[in-house]
Amino acid sequence: MKTSNLNFEAKQYTSKDFDANLPRVILPAMPDTPGEPVAEPTLEEQIAAYQREFQDLDPQVEQIVSALGRLNRRMNVAYGRQTAEIGISNAEWEVLKALVLSGPPYRLGPGDIAKRLGLTPAAMTHRIDRMVQEGLVTRDRDETNRVRVIVELTDEGREKWLEAMRLASVFEEDLLQDLTPAERGILGEVLTRLLRRVEDAQPDADGRLTDLD
Amino acid sequence: MKTSNLNFEAKQYTSKDFDANLPRVILPAMPDTPGEPVAEPTLEEQIAAYQREFQDLDPQVEQIVSALGRLNRRMNVAYGRQTAEIGISNAEWEVLKALVLSGPPYRLGPGDIAKRLGLTPAAMTHRIDRMVQEGLVTRDRDETNRVRVIVELTDEGREKWLEAMRLASVFEEDLLQDLTPAERGILGEVLTRLLRRVEDAQPDADGRLTDLD
DNA sequence: TTCGAAGTCTTCAATGTTGATGTCTCCGGT
DNA sequence: ACCGGAGACATCAACATTGAAGACTTCGAA
C-alpha cells in the first residue's frame, strides 16, 4: 500500500463550503473532562450522536451523506493548499478551469463564468480585475457586440492551470489508492447516478441561495 | 420509483464552496453558435474536455472526483434552500449541528465551535451575536473559569435543528432513492474508507487555507 | 429615424470572514 | 504572594461577495 503524500490537514479555518458534517459526540453519557479541549468526533461517533438525538435517522443514509460532506471538505482543503503552492487562489483556479473547459479559443464572458461558478456577476468583475493584474487572463470588449466583454486565458494562465492539474492528479490518485479498479468503477457509476438524479431534478435554471441570515 | 421532491435547482450564485467541477465543453471541435449563451456541460462532456486538455488524466479517477464535487455542490444548495425555509441560514445550521452533536448539556465554547466549523474565532463572535439575537443560543461567561465563554443551545434552537433534520432526512432519502440497499452499503463503506485515509493522513492539527489571492 | 425594452457589465453600500492585535483571566515558578 | 507566560475571546482594518441600482449597447417596433 502506497503511503504517499496525502497532503491534507484538517486545516482550521476553511469554511467557504457548507457541508453536512463535523461536530463531536459524547458516547455513553459522559463528556470528556468538563471544560476540556473537546476532541474531533469520528464519523462513527457522529452518526451515533445523530441517532441518539434524532430517532428517525437512517444510519446508512447518514453514513453516506456525512462521509460525502467530510470527504469533500478535506479535498477542498487539499486543493486550496495546492493552488496556494503555485501562487494562485482557489477562486482563481475555478476561473481557469472554466476557461480551459470552454475549449479553444478559451474565451468566455464574465457573466458566463459567473454562472458556472455560482457567483454573482458583480463578484466576477472584481475577480477578473485581479486576474488581469496577475496576467492570468485578458479582458476586452467584444468589438462585434460591444455589450459583451471577453475574458481570455493567457499562456501564463494556461500554464498555471496545467500545474494545478498535475498536482491535483497526484493527489487524487493518492486518495483513491486503496480502491480496487472494480471498486472505482462502481463508485464512479453510483456517484454518477446520484448526480444525474439531482441534476435532472432541476435542469439548472436559475435560483439564488436565499441565505437569509 | 418514487419521483418525489428532489428540491434542487442549480441555483446560480451559490459559491461558499470550492469544488472540482462546473465548466463546459466543446466536443468534436465546434462551439455553439459563437457568441451564444453557452450551456452547462454534462459530467461526461466535462471529463472528455479534461482529457483533451490534459493527456495524463485518468478518466475513472476524474469521474469519481468530479461527481463528488458536483454532487456536493448540489446538495449544499439544497440544504441552503431548506434552512432558508425554516428561517435560519446555513451558517446558523452548522452551529446548531455542532451544539446538538456535542450532546447534553449542549454547550460549547466559541473557540470549539469555530474549530469544528473551520472558521476563525473572530467569525464565531459575530455569528454567535446574531444567533443570540434570534434566540437560538445563549452566551454566558463560565463563572468557574472566567476566561471561558459558554454558548448554549436554547429550546428554540433545538427545535430549529429538529426541523432542519426532518427536511434533510426527506431530501437525503430522495437523493438515494434509486440505490439498492446493497449499493448503499458499498457506497457507504467505500466513502468511509476514503475518508479514513484522508483524515489519517493528517490527524487534524492546525493549518490555514492560505488562500493567497 | 426615433424610441423603448432587454441584455450585459460595472458601481456602490451592506454584510461576513480573515489575520492581527488587544484585553482579561488563569496557572506555574520563584 | 508576585510575576510572567499562556490561553480564550473580542475588536479592528482589509478584503471578497451579495443585491440593487446605474450605464451603455443592441434590437425591434412605430
Side-chain angles (χ1 to χ4, degrees):
Chain A
M1 184 210 278
K2 194 171 59 164
T3 321
S4 45
N5 50 333
L6 264 294
N7 194 8
F8 291 95
E9 303 206 11
K11 277 180 162 284
Q12 241 58 316
Y13 314 4
T14 297
S15 189
K16 247 50 175 183
D17 52 338
F18 295 177
D19 18 19
N21 52 332
L22 341 197
R24 76 171 294 269
V25 87
I26 293 174
L27 271 180
M30 208 223 73
D32 9 28
T33 32
E36 274 313 300
V38 179
E40 179 104 63
T42 66
L43 183 63
E44 290 73 23
E45 290 169 332
Q46 176 174 325
I47 294 174
Y50 269 132
Q51 273 191 282
R52 202 178 318 112
E53 303 289 343
F54 183 68
Q55 261 60 18
D56 297 3
L57 191 73
D58 178 333
Q60 198 168 50
V61 170
E62 187 58 27
Q63 182 190 28
I64 294 173
V65 170
S66 290
L68 269 175
R70 289 172 75 136
L71 196 48
N72 232 79
R73 169 158 168 190
R74 297 287 189 146
M75 290 175 65
N76 291 336
V77 168
Y79 289 134
R81 161 153 314 186
Q82 294 184 337
T83 54
E85 262 176 47
I86 60 177
I88 64 177
S89 71
N90 242 317
E92 290 165 340
W93 188 34
E94 288 178 16
V95 174
L96 294 181
K97 281 192 290 188
L99 283 169
V100 170
L101 282 179
S102 75
Y106 307 113
R107 296 153 64 140
L108 288 173
D112 290 326
I113 303 178
K115 274 199 198 67
R116 288 184 179 60
L117 270 48
L119 295 176
T120 59
M124 281 314 303
T125 295
H126 302 309
R127 205 180 266 200
I128 300 294
D129 283 346
R130 297 194 298 276
M131 295 182 71
V132 169
Q133 281 286 319
E134 303 167 49
L136 298 173
V137 300
T138 59
R139 167 162 49 188
D140 296 294
R141 285 224 161 265
D142 181 343
E143 287 309 330
T144 74
N145 180 346
R146 299 184 45 74
V147 169
R148 288 226 165 98
V149 169
I150 296 180
V151 176
E152 180 171 348
L153 194 62
T154 64
D155 288 343
E156 183 181 347
R158 195 168 205 299
E159 188 47 47
K160 285 290 185 189
W161 173 82
L162 246 183
E163 288 180 47
M165 283 300 283
R166 280 192 278 264
L167 288 179
S169 287
V170 173
F171 163 75
E172 290 160 0
E173 185 52 52
D174 277 354
L175 173 64
L176 302 181
Q177 74 183 253
D178 32 48
L179 295 193
T180 66
E183 285 175 324
R184 295 186 187 198
I186 295 176
L187 180 58
E189 192 278 323
V190 170
L191 289 178
T192 302
R193 200 173 341 141
L194 291 184
L195 182 61
R196 180 159 10 253
R197 169 159 291 280
V198 213
E199 295 190 335
D200 285 356
Q202 238 303 333
D204 209 311
D206 63 281
R208 284 194 178 45
L209 185 23
T210 321
D211 204 309
L212 26 118
D213 292 29
Chain B
M1 183 209 281
K2 194 172 59 163
T3 320
S4 46
N5 50 334
L6 263 293
N7 194 8
F8 293 94
E9 302 207 12
K11 275 179 162 285
Q12 240 58 318
Y13 313 4
T14 296
S15 189
K16 247 48 174 182
D17 51 339
F18 294 177
D19 17 20
N21 53 333
L22 340 196
R24 75 171 295 271
V25 87
I26 293 174
L27 272 180
M30 209 223 72
D32 9 29
T33 32
E36 276 312 301
V38 179
E40 178 104 64
T42 65
L43 182 64
E44 290 73 24
E45 291 170 333
Q46 176 174 323
I47 294 174
Y50 269 132
Q51 274 192 282
R52 202 178 318 111
E53 303 289 343
F54 184 67
Q55 262 62 20
D56 298 3
L57 190 73
D58 179 333
Q60 198 168 50
V61 170
E62 186 59 27
Q63 182 191 29
I64 294 172
V65 171
S66 290
L68 268 175
R70 290 173 73 136
L71 197 49
N72 232 77
R73 168 157 170 192
R74 297 288 189 146
M75 291 175 64
N76 290 336
V77 169
Y79 289 133
R81 162 153 314 184
Q82 295 184 336
T83 53
E85 261 176 49
I86 61 177
I88 64 176
S89 71
N90 242 317
E92 290 166 340
W93 189 33
E94 288 178 15
V95 174
L96 294 182
K97 280 193 291 189
L99 283 169
V100 169
L101 282 179
S102 76
Y106 307 115
R107 296 152 64 137
L108 287 174
D112 291 326
I113 303 178
K115 273 199 199 66
R116 288 185 179 59
L117 270 47
L119 295 176
T120 59
M124 280 316 301
T125 296
H126 301 309
R127 204 179 269 200
I128 300 294
D129 283 346
R130 297 195 297 278
M131 295 182 70
V132 169
Q133 281 285 320
E134 303 167 50
L136 298 174
V137 300
T138 59
R139 166 163 49 187
D140 295 294
R141 285 223 162 265
D142 181 344
E143 287 309 330
T144 74
N145 179 345
R146 299 184 46 72
V147 169
R148 287 231 167 95
V149 170
I150 296 181
V151 176
E152 179 170 348
L153 195 60
T154 63
D155 288 343
E156 183 181 348
R158 196 168 205 299
E159 188 47 47
K160 285 290 185 188
W161 174 81
L162 248 182
E163 288 181 47
M165 282 301 282
R166 280 193 278 263
L167 288 179
S169 287
V170 173
F171 163 75
E172 290 161 1
E173 184 51 53
D174 277 355
L175 172 65
L176 301 181
Q177 72 183 258
D178 32 49
L179 295 193
T180 66
E183 285 175 324
R184 294 186 188 198
I186 295 176
L187 180 57
E189 191 279 321
V190 170
L191 288 178
T192 302
R193 198 173 343 142
L194 291 184
L195 182 61
R196 177 155 18 249
R197 169 160 291 280
V198 215
E199 294 189 336
D200 285 355
Q202 238 302 332
D204 209 313
D206 62 282
R208 280 189 185 48
L209 185 23
T210 321
D211 204 311
L212 25 118
D213 292 29

